[in-house]
Amino acid sequence: MSGYHWVDGVGPDRVPFYDKAWRVTDPNTFGTKEFIAWCEAIGAAPYICTNAGTGTAEQMSDWVEYTNLPAGSGKWSDLRAAHGDQRPFDVRYWSIGNENYGDWEIGAKDAHEWSRLVAESAKMMRHVDEDLILLTAARADLDWMLPLLNEAGQFLDTLSIHGYWDKLSQVDEPSDYLTSIAQSVAPQDDIQRTREIIGAAGLTGKISIAFDEWNLRGWHHPNGNSPEKLAARDRNDLNSTYTVADALFSASFFNTCLRNADIVSMANIAPSVNTRGPLYVHADGVVRRTTFHVMAMYATLLGDRALTSSAQSRELPGTDIPVFDHLATIDEATGQLSIVLINREPVEDLQVTLSIGGVPVDGTFPSTVLSGPDVDAFNDVDRPDAVVPIERQLGFHQGVVTLEPHSVTICQIALPLAHGAGAVETPAPGLAWELDGRLWHRNATA
């Protein structure tokens, strides 16, 4: 977005331009109107990122006028009407800039330059539409973020943090399973640093965090425009890259965001379709990659409130991260718990002991398990279902349940199941996981 001018992508007469960031020609056939139509078709709220590289505060606010003000309000709203759209598009979510802290971006800026531009851009955009939800490019770094918040925090709602933890732009070879999984705790570090900086600026409770670009895998995007270097981008489409490791990392990432739901307000995987997206579309159909299945499980199987839970876990051999990860949610309308259990072991089963309110869980419960024949398994055109969720009954005996290797399990447990609260001694064998029954009682009456 750092070299894109929105006026080139509206109306019937569009001229292709050379995109200096990506070093390709953009035909401008997909512009504002087409983006809004696509969002409506898939049931998504549009979110527009402005050009804060070569663009200006005035151009950003003009784009807000084009999309959001009624016809007759001014030059740009009238232009939208002339293009056939009398009714405003009503775009609520806007970001000022994209990674403008990085020297890879067109129009990169230092912290002082960035703080002033964001403040003035946000001010002008809100003068056009004061009800915008405004984000801006940020990084989990005190020297960058604190000046930004001191200068522009009063105009902002959310900080845009990007995360690609397998740096394919730097090392042009996807990391193996253990190296990938070892990155699972990195998002928590980014959240904690950002939380502390927001607090230092006196904006706790006023500004949230958006991972509005995230993916385990970074871009195959070597610097240069030779045919060989541009062709390297085609490796982003290789389905073999997106394995069980991507699924478990994504599940761990979702758990981290949901455990920090008081401050993380948005998380958008990037991209959505092809290259590194959860869907790979080809001439004869669609491949649902491992990340798609994790996203579908979390979207359809979890409750509407995340609960507090704690775990004791040994480290995954070869890493310094826990072998086990977890999440608990509740559907407040039905009283059903959805328990996420992640076993990061590459080849070994894992026994976990689960207690709710101090009482070990006993019984058999419906569950959905995503795993694969091995950690390198992936879905492809000729084998689209190598890694797919499987529904099964999961048995607990005195709290102990066995999780298969490299797996994500979501288990549904209907309440009331157990009574009482407080700590429970760690039973052997395996790991202990305690869900605080007192929190359930508080939420049940909320």
Side-chain angles (χ1 to χ4, degrees):
M1 292 302 299
S2 296
Y4 177 77
H5 296 284
W6 69 267
V7 293
D8 297 333
V10 298
D13 301 319
R14 305 184 190 183
V15 178
F17 79 103
Y18 182 71
D19 187 324
K20 299 180 182 68
W22 288 94
R23 299 166 184 174
V24 294
T25 298
D26 186 334
N28 265 326
T29 52
F30 191 89
T32 302
K33 182 183 179 74
E34 291 75 24
F35 175 65
I36 299 298
W38 181 77
C39 290
E40 291 176 349
I42 66 171
Y47 171 27
I48 289 178
C49 179
T50 62
N51 175 0
T54 63
T56 65
E58 185 170 35
Q59 289 172 334
M60 298 180 212
S61 60
D62 289 345
W63 202 356
V64 175
E65 180 190 332
Y66 182 88
T67 63
N68 285 9
L69 293 196
S73 298
K75 171 183 176 180
W76 300 108
S77 62
D78 288 349
L79 182 63
R80 183 197 68 243
H83 292 158
D85 293 287
Q86 286 287 330
R87 296 176 58 187
F89 295 137
D90 192 30
V91 178
R92 293 297 99 201
Y93 295 91
W94 292 78
S95 177
I96 299 171
N98 175 76
E99 299 181 2
N100 298 83
Y101 45 78
D103 59 8
W104 57 86
E105 283 290 320
I106 303 295
K109 295 171 175 61
D110 64 27
H112 175 72
E113 293 173 312
W114 183 242
S115 301
R116 290 300 307 146
L117 176 62
V118 171
E120 293 308 312
S121 300
K123 188 189 309 180
M124 290 186 69
M125 294 167 76
R126 289 206 183 277
H127 282 182
V128 177
D129 186 341
E130 62 183 10
D131 295 325
L132 301 180
I133 300 171
L134 275 185
L135 302 86
T136 193
R139 65 191 310 174
D141 175 85
L142 180 66
D143 293 337
W144 174 269
M145 190 178 292
L146 192 57
L148 171 64
L149 291 176
N150 288 337
E151 187 79 32
Q154 62 181 311
F155 304 112
L156 300 172
D157 298 294
T158 305
L159 297 173
S160 160
I161 306 293
H162 291 180
Y164 299 106
W165 289 273
D166 186 16
K167 307 293 187 181
L168 292 177
S169 61
Q170 299 172 16
V171 179
D172 201 16
E173 181 68 34
S175 296
D176 62 15
Y177 175 81
L178 281 181
T179 304
S180 298
I181 293 301
Q183 294 294 327
S184 295
V185 298
Q188 175 62 47
D189 295 339
D190 288 341
I191 292 170
Q192 187 58 35
R193 284 197 303 274
T194 304
R195 184 191 290 275
E196 292 170 356
I197 298 169
I198 290 173
L203 294 169
T204 297
K206 298 179 182 179
I207 290 185
S208 63
I209 299 170
F211 282 100
D212 59 355
E213 272 194 46
W214 74 270
N215 204 313
L216 168 61
R217 312 292 181 179
W219 291 86
H220 287 285
H221 190 196
N223 191 27
N225 58 1
S226 68
E228 177 182 327
K229 290 185 176 179
L230 292 177
R233 298 179 187 176
D234 293 339
R235 292 200 290 280
N236 290 301
D237 277 321
L238 293 177
N239 288 317
S240 59
T241 299
Y242 312 104
T243 66
V244 169
D246 297 70
L248 266 65
F249 176 89
S250 298
S252 300
F253 174 81
F254 294 147
N255 289 355
T256 298
C257 290
L258 290 168
R259 284 195 291 263
N260 290 276
D262 63 310
I263 196 168
V264 178
S265 58
M266 181 188 296
N268 309 333
I269 195 168
S272 301
V273 180
N274 287 6
T275 63
R276 298 160 306 108
L279 293 176
Y280 175 71
V281 178
H282 56 96
D284 298 316
V286 177
V287 174
R288 294 168 177 82
R289 288 172 171 157
T290 62
T291 47
F292 170 87
H293 291 300
V294 169
M295 294 179 72
M297 289 169 64
Y298 275 71
T300 61
L301 298 177
L302 297 191
D304 51 10
R305 181 187 289 265
L307 301 179
T308 298
S309 58
S310 61
Q312 298 171 357
S313 175
R314 61 176 171 81
E315 291 182 351
L316 175 64
T319 76
D320 59 358
I321 70 166
V323 70
F324 172 68
D325 193 32
H326 61 93
L327 181 74
T329 69
I330 189 167
D331 185 321
E332 293 190 293
T334 65
Q336 177 173 277
L337 290 175
S338 294
I339 310 294
V340 181
L341 308 164
I342 299 177
N343 176 13
R344 294 169 172 151
E345 272 282 2
V347 294
E348 300 291 337
D349 289 344
L350 183 68
Q351 285 191 323
V352 175
T353 303
L354 171 63
S355 298
I356 298 177
V359 179
V361 174
D362 256 304
T364 301
F365 304 95
S367 64
T368 302
V369 181
L370 183 68
S371 184
D374 56 63
V375 295
D376 296 321
F378 60 93
N379 296 331
D380 210 341
V381 175
D382 59 347
R383 46 177 180 175
D385 298 323
V387 182
V388 295
I390 298 174
E391 295 183 1
R392 61 180 56 166
Q393 296 294 310
L394 195 64
F396 294 78
H397 179 63
Q398 296 183 353
V400 178
V401 62
T402 300
L403 306 176
E404 61 186 81
H406 54 266
S407 65
V408 179
T409 300
I410 299 182
C411 180
Q412 271 78 44
I413 300 177
L415 292 179
L417 175 70
H419 303 284
V424 61
E425 292 185 4
T426 304
L431 309 174
W433 185 27
E434 171 71 5
L435 175 63
D436 187 351
R438 290 166 295 183
L439 182 59
W440 148 244
H441 289 302
R442 287 200 299 269
N443 288 340
T445 58

